Amino acid sequence: MKRWQVFANGIFRENPIFRLVLGMCPTLAVSTAVVNGLGMGLAATFVLVCSNVIISLLRNVIPKEVRIPCYIVVIATFVTIVDKVMAASAPGLHQVLGIFIPLIVVNCIILGRAEAFASKNTVGRAFMDGLGMGIGFTLGLVLLSFFREVLGEGMLLVAEDFGFTGWRIIPEDNQALMLILPPGAFITLGLLLAGINKLSAKLSAAKDLAGKGGE
Amino acid sequence: MSKNKKIMEQLRLVLVLTLIAAFSGGILAVVNHLTEPRIKELERQATNEALALCLPGAGDFQKEESLPAGAGADVSEVYLGYVNNEPAGVVVKVEPRGYGGKISMMVGVTAGGKVAGVKILSHSETPGLGAKIKKDDFLQQAAIRESGLENPPALVRDGGKVEAITNATISCRAVVRGINQALAVAESFFAPADGRLGTEADGERGDGEG
Amino acid sequence: MVDLLLISFGAIFISNFVLARFLGICPFLGVSRKIETALGMGFAVIFVMTMASAITYGVQKLLVRHGLAEFLQTISFILVIAVLVQFVEMILRKTSPGLYQALGIYLPLITTNCAVLGVALINADPGEGYNFIQAMVNGFSGGVGFTLAIVLFAGLRERLEFAPLPKAMEGFPIALILAGLISIAFLGFSGFRLQALLGL
């Protein structure tokens, strides 16, 4: 696989949210507004890229028997850095994301990539993999947050922390409140997954057809 | 020989793990050192902004070392606000329980015993319903803005004048309870035992309590 | 005693760890195909969460005393939890091979179960101000809440196997929508005031 393929893999074919269905806790919890989703996505991307690079660099040093604790320490270090930097630069967002920032440590995507990819590949490829997975995760979060914020809150792009009041899409008191509440997270993601399944089934069917036509 | 080798191998495991842990501990100490002042500064700024909003005009705020005796159960912090080194009022941080959890809010009370400002700091009320307590439509209504010790706020359905948000009575009642606890704290400052705000308040309220 | 009851009721029903706080979703979706395994996973989580609450409480006290809590909290909590899970795995393998087989690869996954690290972080939050006993009750009840949610969910999923579904809805999509419906049911507990019921 070429490097750009490694990168694209995380965004489409193995998208962490829509394909691997990993990292569900932050996905469901913080997707109440696009800004929150974006913030969580970027924080996770930073941790994913950094930990992938470091673990790839140390892949010949870390003994197999203690690899998991080593990975956890590396990941937890970058998570704490993100936590501190976010608290010092965007305190409002930091407060909203709250406990889910330290919980990036146990995001299955990150430990999963360390174990399945970074520990077996060169630094360059590990970097691309981290970036692709991170951006794939961020895109998934933003897409889910988009639906929840627009339909549930009736607003788009509210970001009080950055002095942005957003646009009202649905008149006040007419929005589907349920979508912004916890059940709405499950249901919106379920419907989104079904939609993507349908779409990719259609796409691959079309591809098959095109392939046969060409023969 | 092989036994020695095994021990060496074990030592290597421990050594690598310890090194990695020590290294990351060091990095984190540096990062913490760099970000700590900024985080503290931001926290201080946020508190000062909220204080200034709750007691407009006051320039300097002093946090009380201890809560006044008899303060309500939800009161967490009390600040005295000064204008030209004269006490001008109090700001009380209260955390009444709403529908979804604690509502953290600040209430300013002037030396005249009037509510000067209310700010919701954080809450976990239902979005779209209870969460509307943050909005001016609710907080800036006359029944809250013009309330004070003489006319403590109460919801319409509790016999007062404060209009509750539709379908969010519990959240609104919690906010009103917070304001009343803040007023009670302010009152203890007017009492003879304390008297730091006593004289001014007496003149305006004229009920001869102090 | 009453405070413990309130914490417990809150962690199980009002803000259920899985359905309202979104902690421990991965095992909730991954190990819920059969009631038996769900129950086994639930018990393992209850045990680990209670133990983790107790130990991280001590770790937090130690960190605060040395002024290290600001930046070493996350890293030390997760290491303590990882060691604890390893320990539980060892004991389970020796004493109950059947259960060990059933939980298989999921036991190491408890390390990365956010409910465990989550409860440790919630207990350490000065805003909550939990003491040792309260922290342990919170951990235990959080685990019970997790078990309740996952067992209910597994019960529904077992029946779902026979339901005719559109192809695109099979698997995760319908499972998530089902979880949403259970979450709606649990929403009925929010704003529920046990204090009022107990006459407090």
Side-chain angles (χ1 to χ4, degrees):
Chain A
M1 240 196 309
K2 291 208 179 73
R3 273 192 196 165
W4 68 267
Q5 280 174 320
V6 171
F7 174 73
N9 187 39
I11 300 178
F12 303 106
R13 231 163 50 88
E14 286 188 21
N15 184 291
I17 294 182
F18 298 125
R19 286 273 156 230
L20 305 181
V21 196
L22 287 175
M24 286 296 110
C25 302
T27 305
L28 295 167
V30 307
S31 57
T32 49
V34 171
V35 173
N36 300 348
L38 193 63
M40 170 53 76
L42 294 181
T45 305
F46 171 81
V47 176
L48 199 47
V49 170
C50 293
S51 70
N52 256 13
V53 167
I54 297 291
I55 286 163
S56 171
L57 274 174
L58 296 177
R59 68 184 187 279
N60 295 324
V61 183
I62 295 175
K64 209 175 119 256
E65 296 85 344
V66 289
R67 65 185 194 286
I68 299 293
C70 289
Y71 298 164
I72 288 178
V73 170
V74 171
I75 294 168
T77 308
F78 288 112
V79 168
T80 311
I81 292 175
V82 165
D83 191 18
K84 291 283 152 195
V85 170
M86 196 184 275
S89 54
L93 186 62
H94 183 260
Q95 200 194 359
V96 171
L97 299 183
I99 189 177
F100 285 95
I101 298 177
L103 284 180
I104 295 176
V105 176
V106 285
N107 189 323
C108 327
I109 301 167
I110 298 175
L111 195 61
R113 291 328 281 177
E115 169 86 357
F117 197 92
S119 60
K120 295 172 190 144
N121 282 283
T122 58
V123 178
R125 290 168 65 87
F127 176 84
M128 291 313 266
D129 177 72
L131 199 63
M133 283 285 163
I135 291 175
F137 182 59
T138 310
L139 285 179
L141 262 172
V142 167
L143 192 63
L144 179 61
S145 324
F146 173 80
F147 283 112
R148 288 186 71 195
E149 187 175 11
V150 167
L151 299 175
E153 195 82 70
M155 302 286 285
L156 182 60
L157 280 176
V158 180
E160 278 175 16
D161 217 23
F162 304 99
F164 204 68
T165 47
W167 295 288
R168 180 155 282 290
I169 308 289
I170 298 175
E172 199 162 0
D173 296 331
N174 284 314
Q175 66 272 56
L177 267 182
M178 181 57 82
L179 294 187
I180 216 82
L181 296 172
F186 289 108
I187 292 170
T188 315
L189 184 60
L191 292 175
L192 215 51
L193 274 179
I196 284 174
N197 281 349
K198 186 90 190 163
L199 200 70
S200 66
K202 272 223 169 101
L203 279 178
S204 66
K207 219 183 222 169
D208 281 355
L209 217 64
K212 273 180 194 146
E215 268 168 26
Chain B
M1 262 322 263
S2 79
K3 199 180 174 192
N4 258 345
K5 222 173 167 182
K6 214 171 175 181
I7 293 174
M8 287 302 283
E9 185 55 32
Q10 295 271 328
L11 266 176
R12 199 173 71 95
L13 297 186
V14 177
L15 193 72
V16 169
L17 190 54
T18 317
L19 269 180
I20 291 181
F23 197 68
S24 58
I27 291 179
L28 288 183
V30 172
V31 170
N32 185 52
H33 185 73
L34 291 177
T35 53
E36 196 65 27
R38 174 94 184 121
I39 295 172
K40 285 275 184 304
E41 172 64 22
L42 280 173
E43 275 170 12
R44 213 176 51 82
Q45 259 179 30
T47 311
N48 280 347
E49 266 168 34
L51 287 171
L53 201 106
C54 288
L55 198 62
D60 186 28
F61 291 95
Q62 294 285 327
K63 189 175 171 183
E64 285 289 291
E65 294 289 327
S66 58
L67 298 179
D74 303 327
V75 176
S76 67
E77 285 169 18
V78 178
Y79 296 84
L80 261 182
Y82 294 85
V83 176
N84 302 327
N85 294 325
E86 287 288 319
V90 286
V91 179
V92 183
K93 187 175 172 191
V94 272
E95 296 181 325
R97 228 196 96 85
Y99 186 81
K102 277 183 190 166
I103 300 173
S104 180
M105 56 191 270
M106 273 191 180
V107 184
V109 184
T110 64
K114 297 256 177 245
V115 170
V118 181
K119 177 158 174 71
I120 308 288
L121 303 172
S122 66
H123 67 85
S124 38
E125 302 306 285
T126 318
L129 296 172
K132 286 185 185 164
I133 50 168
K134 263 190 111 153
K135 296 204 168 179
D136 285 350
D137 300 353
F138 175 68
L139 284 182
Q140 292 295 328
Q141 59 178 296
I144 288 183
R145 216 177 50 228
E146 288 162 12
S147 62
L149 274 172
E150 283 186 344
N151 50 342
L155 295 188
V156 171
R157 68 164 67 181
D158 298 332
K161 284 185 180 151
V162 177
E163 294 278 354
I165 299 159
T166 320
N167 294 332
T169 312
I170 294 177
S171 308
C172 296
R173 193 174 279 143
V175 171
V176 167
R177 191 165 63 240
I179 298 175
N180 279 310
Q181 291 200 4
L183 283 169
V185 168
E187 190 165 30
S188 73
F189 281 86
F190 304 133
D194 191 277
R196 264 176 292 179
L197 291 168
T199 45
E200 276 174 73
D202 281 345
E204 269 182 57
R205 286 187 298 138
D207 56 7
E209 197 185 286
Chain C
M1 212 34 222
V2 175
D3 57 323
L4 298 182
L5 200 65
L6 291 180
I7 290 172
S8 184
F9 193 79
I12 299 173
F13 296 107
I14 300 174
S15 40
N16 183 283
F17 268 60
V18 180
L19 300 166
R21 292 194 194 192
F22 301 116
L23 296 170
I25 301 285
C26 287
F28 177 72
L29 293 174
V31 202
S32 51
R33 286 185 197 280
K34 278 210 159 79
I35 292 184
E36 281 162 40
T37 39
L39 207 58
M41 184 70 179
F43 285 137
V45 168
I46 292 177
F47 184 66
V48 172
M49 274 176 80
T50 314
M51 295 281 287
S53 294
I55 299 173
T56 55
Y57 186 86
V59 172
Q60 172 72 4
K61 277 271 164 321
L62 211 67
L63 287 175
V64 168
R65 188 183 307 155
H66 293 95
L68 299 171
E70 292 285 333
F71 60 100
L72 285 185
Q73 189 189 55
T74 311
I75 209 166
S76 29
F77 279 12
I78 189 66
L79 276 181
V80 166
I81 292 168
V83 171
L84 179 70
V85 170
Q86 201 94 68
F87 194 63
V88 172
E89 191 188 351
M90 254 160 51
I91 292 180
L92 211 59
R93 183 159 39 185
K94 290 246 163 70
T95 57
S96 166
L99 195 58
Y100 181 76
Q101 285 256 293
L103 297 181
I105 55 164
Y106 289 109
L107 204 63
L109 275 184
I110 292 186
T111 309
T112 55
N113 180 343
C114 17
V116 183
L117 183 58
V119 80
L121 291 168
I122 292 170
N123 288 339
D125 179 7
E128 301 286 350
Y130 286 154
N131 64 29
F132 181 71
I133 302 289
Q134 286 171 333
M136 269 185 76
V137 168
N138 193 28
F140 176 79
S141 313
V144 173
F146 174 87
T147 310
L148 180 65
I150 197 173
V151 169
L152 284 175
F153 189 49
L156 290 171
R157 279 186 87 174
E158 277 188 357
R159 299 194 155 220
L160 209 61
E161 300 226 330
F162 308 105
L165 281 170
K167 190 100 185 66
M169 292 294 278
E170 278 171 11
F172 280 117
I174 192 67
L176 280 164
I177 290 169
L178 206 54
L181 296 178
I182 305 177
S183 177
I184 292 178
F186 272 69
L187 210 58
F189 287 109
S190 69
F192 185 87
R193 287 177 72 83
L194 194 60
Q195 291 98 321
L197 207 68
L198 295 171
L200 294 168

